[in-house]
Amino acid sequence: MADTGTAFDIVVLGAGSGGYAAALRAAQLGKTVALVEADKVGGTCLHNGCIPTKALLHAAELADNARDGAHFGVKTTLEGIDMAGVNQYKDTVIGGLYKGLQGLIKSRKITVIEGYGRLVAQNTVEVDGTRYTGEHIVLATGSYARSLPGLEIGGRVITSDQALQLDWVPKSAIILGGGVIGSEFASVWKSFGADVTIIEALPHLVPNEDVALSKAFERAFRKRGIAFNLGVRFQGVTQDDNGVHVTLEDGKTFDADVLLVAVGRGPRTGGLGYEEQGVTLDRGFVITDERLHTGVGNVYAVGDIVPGLQLAHRGFAQGIFVAEQIAGLNPPAIVESGIPRVTYSHPEVASVGLTEAGAKEVHGEDAVEVLEYNLAGNGKSKILDTAGFIKLVRQKDGPVVGVHMIGDRVGELIGEGQLIVNWEAYPEDVASLVHAHPTQNEALGEAHLALAGKPLHAHN
């Protein structure tokens, strides 16, 4: 018989972005909280996802700057990529954030329980033989790097988990999947000097974005020398001491040092007792209502295990939402379309709200108006030597329902885009705001000026 642990107001199963956010906010609201984690608090985002990949991308940007310094009148040479140094920098960033998060959790008097947790009753989690009861349970077990049926990971066939630990730069790489993860690694490895080929079964790279952004992204990657094959499915791979040999269904073959499998992430829900306790799963995802309740007892779910965008900031927001819901604060439900999305490659892609096609589906073919503002007309973009554009989607005679951007550093602009979409601003509302000059941010202001019918630097 299992030992009985302590009873808590809330037991959170998983300490990634969604889980630790729920724990921190609940503790702030006076709840007693147990946070169960088999690995390290911070989860995939901090240790094997967002943070380490963005550290690599920053190192890649520095490599490009060193390589292209003469263009700006700065004579520089790139002696090479020291992966030991890059990894030390990456790990230092992770270590600092990890230490800070541990301190924050300790200061909130959250009980961290190390080990694999399993839901054994609607109000009980068992960890290594000890049971912990919670008046409320929050499932936040996150996701794993998915593969394809029959495609085994090992050797030179790797996922992002192994790619982040490489202590060498591949001379050539094939990337299976042209979504966010695949595109970011393609960008890094190209900047580090590798020959890169992306294989994507869908018709476009970053296929979840507005098609105008996807096409512009493809042009930018093509200009950088990143090759890609679209609309063709992967068939198989063999590997030997010389590398990998990849075959597509159309008969094309490719050879490279490594194959990175970046076909998305699967929900980590198997074998955790969810279904046995009545929680509904669909293809492994936990089904909830808009309040993130599972329909079982006082069990909630947040983050990558809930169908929708698999983004750390979505999980973080859901964790806060559930803690406030449990505390009786009745927070407003999170609107999925209002969550910003960023691909941190070179160039960056950032968006929030509905795509043009999505808006036409919701509001009607003739009830949508779009505008594209070229960053060539923006002074700061010219200084940074970046190309791209901002695309606005509005309901005709109504609010802006989508903001889509491509260009270096546009991810830093999505904050205002998020406010515009979520607060249902009209173009005229944004056009009246004064944006600092010279910034890329003012391109958002100018785009809304144009959409409001009074373009300054853009043509009517």
Side-chain angles (χ1 to χ4, degrees):
M1 189 166 179
D3 292 334
T4 302
T6 310
F8 296 87
D9 293 330
I10 303 172
V11 176
V12 182
L13 187 53
S17 300
Y20 84 70
L24 288 173
R25 182 66 178 125
Q28 191 177 50
L29 291 169
K31 302 293 183 181
T32 58
V33 183
L35 185 58
V36 180
E37 175 56 52
D39 196 356
K40 298 176 180 176
V41 294
T44 295
C45 175
L46 177 54
H47 300 285
N48 295 297
C50 327
I51 298 302
T53 53
K54 277 41 166 190
L56 291 185
L57 282 156
H58 182 59
E61 181 184 11
L62 292 175
D64 288 333
N65 289 342
R67 191 182 289 113
D68 302 332
H71 176 74
F72 302 95
V74 180
K75 294 181 179 179
T76 55
T77 56
L78 180 62
E79 294 183 11
I81 305 299
D82 171 19
M83 279 309 298
V86 171
N87 284 329
Q88 183 180 3
Y89 149 69
K90 166 177 66 74
D91 293 342
T92 299
V93 172
I94 294 169
L97 292 170
Y98 179 43
K99 186 176 180 180
L101 179 58
Q102 287 176 303
L104 193 57
I105 289 170
K106 186 177 180 180
S107 73
R108 298 273 173 92
K109 296 181 171 53
I110 294 166
T111 301
V112 177
I113 300 165
E114 296 181 359
Y116 286 91
R118 191 171 183 276
L119 192 66
V120 294
Q122 292 183 8
N123 67 341
T124 307
V125 171
E126 183 174 304
V127 185
D128 297 332
T130 301
R131 295 192 170 189
Y132 303 88
T133 60
E135 186 178 342
H136 297 83
I137 303 290
V138 179
L139 309 178
T141 41
S143 61
Y144 62 93
R146 195 196 291 271
S147 186
L148 295 177
L151 177 55
E152 291 188 17
I153 304 302
R156 292 175 178 267
V157 179
I158 62 177
T159 69
S160 57
D161 291 342
Q162 293 81 41
L164 285 168
Q165 303 306 321
L166 285 182
D167 57 3
W168 54 286
V169 178
K171 290 182 179 177
S172 55
I174 298 167
I175 298 177
L176 184 58
V180 174
I181 296 170
S183 295
E184 290 184 351
F185 273 100
S187 191
V188 167
W189 282 340
K190 184 63 181 178
S191 296
F192 283 176
D195 290 325
V196 180
T197 301
I198 302 173
I199 310 298
E200 171 54 59
L202 293 175
H204 291 290
L205 297 181
V206 288
N208 292 330
E209 297 294 343
D210 189 280
V211 69
L213 262 65
S214 292
K215 289 180 177 179
F217 189 72
E218 289 159 15
R219 289 193 296 271
F221 264 28
R222 195 177 291 116
K223 188 176 179 181
R224 289 189 62 191
I226 297 174
F228 46 87
N229 280 256
L230 304 174
V232 183
R233 292 188 177 275
F234 167 86
Q235 185 174 68
V237 59
T238 59
Q239 58 177 309
D240 54 35
D241 291 341
N242 296 319
V244 295
H245 314 282
V246 174
T247 306
L248 305 187
E249 285 188 351
D250 65 0
K252 288 181 182 175
T253 60
F254 302 89
D255 297 330
D257 285 344
V258 297
L259 171 65
L260 171 63
V261 181
V263 293
R265 297 186 64 83
R268 198 181 296 278
T269 56
L272 298 178
Y274 294 177
E275 285 186 295
E276 290 88 332
Q277 300 309 320
V279 174
T280 301
L281 300 184
D282 180 11
R283 292 167 299 139
F285 290 97
V286 176
I287 302 305
T288 71
D289 62 16
E290 69 166 7
R291 312 300 292 181
L292 299 175
H293 188 260
T294 64
V296 173
N298 288 328
V299 181
Y300 293 83
V302 301
D304 285 0
I305 61 173
V306 179
L309 297 167
Q310 290 181 310
L311 299 170
H313 47 280
R314 171 182 179 255
F316 192 82
Q318 289 180 335
I320 294 171
F321 171 88
V322 162
E324 294 183 350
Q325 173 76 6
I326 290 170
L329 300 184
N330 195 30
I334 296 168
V335 179
E336 288 277 318
S337 64
I339 298 172
R341 313 171 288 276
V342 184
T343 303
Y344 295 89
S345 50
H346 168 46
E348 287 186 352
V349 173
S351 59
V352 62
L354 299 175
T355 63
E356 179 179 354
K360 287 179 176 177
E361 192 175 318
V362 171
H363 299 293
E365 191 78 23
D366 300 322
V368 172
E369 187 179 355
V370 300
L371 178 134
E372 289 187 15
Y373 179 84
N374 196 327
L375 289 182
N378 174 255
K380 188 60 179 288
S381 297
K382 206 77 170 173
I383 292 166
L384 295 173
D385 195 31
T386 184
F389 61 85
I390 294 171
K391 179 175 180 176
L392 303 179
V393 181
R394 78 174 296 190
Q395 195 175 345
K396 192 166 284 186
D397 300 322
V400 175
V401 296
V403 176
H404 309 273
M405 299 178 276
I406 181 168
D408 288 340
R409 305 189 188 183
V410 295
E412 298 298 332
L413 309 183
I414 202 61
E416 183 177 355
Q418 179 189 20
L419 295 179
I420 290 165
V421 169
N422 282 284
W423 286 348
E424 300 180 344
Y426 281 59
E428 294 78 10
D429 298 329
V430 184
S432 66
L433 302 175
V434 180
H435 293 74
H437 172 79
T439 62
Q440 285 185 292
N441 182 241
E442 68 181 319
L444 262 177
E446 295 239 9
H448 283 85
L449 273 169
L451 192 54
K454 43 184 179 182
L456 196 61
H457 293 103
H459 297 291
N460 257 329

